[in-house]
Amino acid sequence: MNILRRVFSGLLLIIGVIALNFFLLQLAPGDTAEAIAGSMGGASEELLAEIRQTYGLDKPVLSQLFIYLGDVITFDLGTSYFYNQPVSSLIAQRIGPTILLVLSAIFLSLCIGVPLGVMAAEKPSGGLSYSVTLLALVGYATPVFWSGLMFVIFFASVIPIFPVQGFEDISLRKASFFVRSLDVLHHLILPAITLAIIYLAQYSRMARASMIETLSSDYIRTARAKGLSELTVVYKHGLRNAVLPIITLAGLQFGNLLSGAILVETVFNWPGLGRLIFDAILARDYPTILGVLIISSVMVIVANMLSDMGYRLADPRILKQG
Amino acid sequence: MADLLKIENLELKFNTRHGIVKVLDNISFTLKPGEIFGVAGESGSGKSMTAMALMRLIDKKLIHSIQGKIFFRDTNLLELPEKEFRKLRGNKIAMIFQEPMTSLNPVFSIGFQITETLLLHQNLKPKEADEKAIDLLARVGLPDPKKRLKNYPHELSGGQRQRVMIAMAISCRPDVLIADEPTTALDTTVQAQIFDLLLDIQQELNTAIILITHDMGVLAQMADEIAVMYAGRIVEQGLRDQILDTPEHPYTQSLIACIPKVDVRAEAAGKPPADLSEIAGVVPPLAELSTLKGCSFAGRCPKVFDTCSTLKPPHFRLNKTQTAACHLLEK
């Protein structure tokens, strides 16, 4: 029941997002028909009128929106002016690499950041703790495109052990699935690390603060009084509580992660949604822009729902109130 | 009977911003099997610190030094390696705390938290541990114990949570149970129930209880022996009746004067109830204590005289079982 209600409100939210994006794009300067004509090398007034009619651009804005909404429900996101392909198939080609990149970045930042923060919390004034704070500060302050470019320069010229461009090696197109997967992983390493750095910094910082607070609570003293080993006290009784705010943070940041992916994909020439929307913006390709925006809103909404459910599973106090 | 727990000249010093500070000063007492030993005193007198030192639960970063001996049967607990001590902690020596609302881990079920102790110290299968946990919850008077196993702490009231804490503490039939203000956070009727439960357990398992409280009234009903602490030191110690009927230390006398008295006949006659008495002033801060030459109670003592501010009073033995640290007794 509860989940149904959430899904329903998620759907309403998506419709709202579509409408908002639609109007925002209407406000953008420039005439779409002229942009399309421009890409064909210019056109006469008659041709412009014909383009407007073909794409429905001569109708009132509101009816354009309703037509669009009606199409979206049937998964028809329109046709790209620039690629001359259905937007949905463009997105289908690109969504895989982006999800792979974003999930790897989350995985990396959680798997490295959280343990780092926990270890730092065990000795809040120790050397490791200060290193984590420093690392977090540097990581957080470094722009993604800059660290990405530095990686590209370093691994392209100094130690070329990782590929710095693209998603896979075209010469391996005919190789076995296993070899190709390894190749994709090899390509994934640098973009994923680049995207993970900022979040690694945030999660380690958050884990440290949350863990320090947790370790000073009464139930940790109880756990020690039971005779449990320090390892069990910290990683079972402590971490399970300290991880709760991190789950929330990870869900909330999924959107930021997607926007970070645009930069990373551009720097590393990663063929994902980020690059798609980047090119679409340059080409004024409104259907593609709108399509990618819709898909990313859906992904953000789904991520938030998942983190919410994760939180409910991890914290019994919330489960019962729902 | 042989001593179960014997504390000899326990001295604990902390590193603080104000330098090294003596938190516990020359604490000595013994505990016999099945005995209820009361520790009384105001906040900041070192009652809880004594308990935490016994359980070795004090944050090591704070400790500058800890001296003296704590014998449990024949082992000196202070010399025991941490790993060995963990086998006793929660098993033979257990503790219940002042804050039942926050002392249970919110994300684990009651059943999990009780069986965790059982599985750790006793050679039980998970199913046996579950059954034992149900028995324990029934023993501490929680209704519908089988259903409670699956409950989480937030679904229980404060009194129920303290019962769960007690169930956890007695799960391995401890020889020593330290109860640090176990009812402070609970309302009065529940307080009485918890004390009844502790008495039952003490009789049933022959567990010795160190009962820490600021409430002399509670000790008057429960304790066999009482130590009165002030500013990290035991200032008077003796059998319950000695402390209550013939207190020699002015601090003990003031504490006893603080027990509210209900005079039913006077009330029936329409006389207004007597005013509640209090001890003027507060326990001096730890940082000041270490620079103090004389008696730490001198600043608040109604019977203070010259010697009190210059010389720390030694413990005077009044009879076989009672001692007090006050210069008045020298005369």
Side-chain angles (χ1 to χ4, degrees), chain A residues 90 137 169 183 262:
Chain A
L90 278 175
L137 217 60
D169 194 337
D183 178 49
I262 297 183

Side-chain angles (χ1 to χ4, degrees), chain A residues 247-260:
Chain A
I247 296 178
T248 314
L249 185 73
L252 288 175
Q253 280 186 336
F254 195 79
N256 297 356
L257 211 59
L258 276 179
S259 53

Side-chain angles (χ1 to χ4, degrees), chain A residues 122 124 218-219 221-222 224-230 232 236-238 240-241 244 314-317 320, chain B residues 52 57 86 89-90 97 99 102-108 112-113 116-117 120-121 152 154-155 165 168:
Chain A
E122 284 181 82
D218 292 335
Y219 53 81
R221 184 184 57 189
T222 307
R224 291 205 175 103
K226 281 176 167 182
L228 296 169
S229 71
E230 198 56 24
T232 319
K236 195 160 150 197
H237 285 259
R240 177 73 192 273
N241 282 282
L244 294 175
D315 190 347
R317 280 166 297 186
K320 295 281 158 67
Chain B
M52 295 290 273
L57 282 176
R86 276 211 307 267
R89 183 159 63 194
F97 300 95
E99 305 88 358
T102 49
S103 289
L104 290 165
N105 195 327
V107 301
F108 294 118
F112 174 87
Q113 298 191 53
E116 189 179 35
T117 316
L120 181 71
H121 295 297
Y152 286 90
H154 71 274
E155 296 167 283
M165 285 297 293
M168 249 159 65

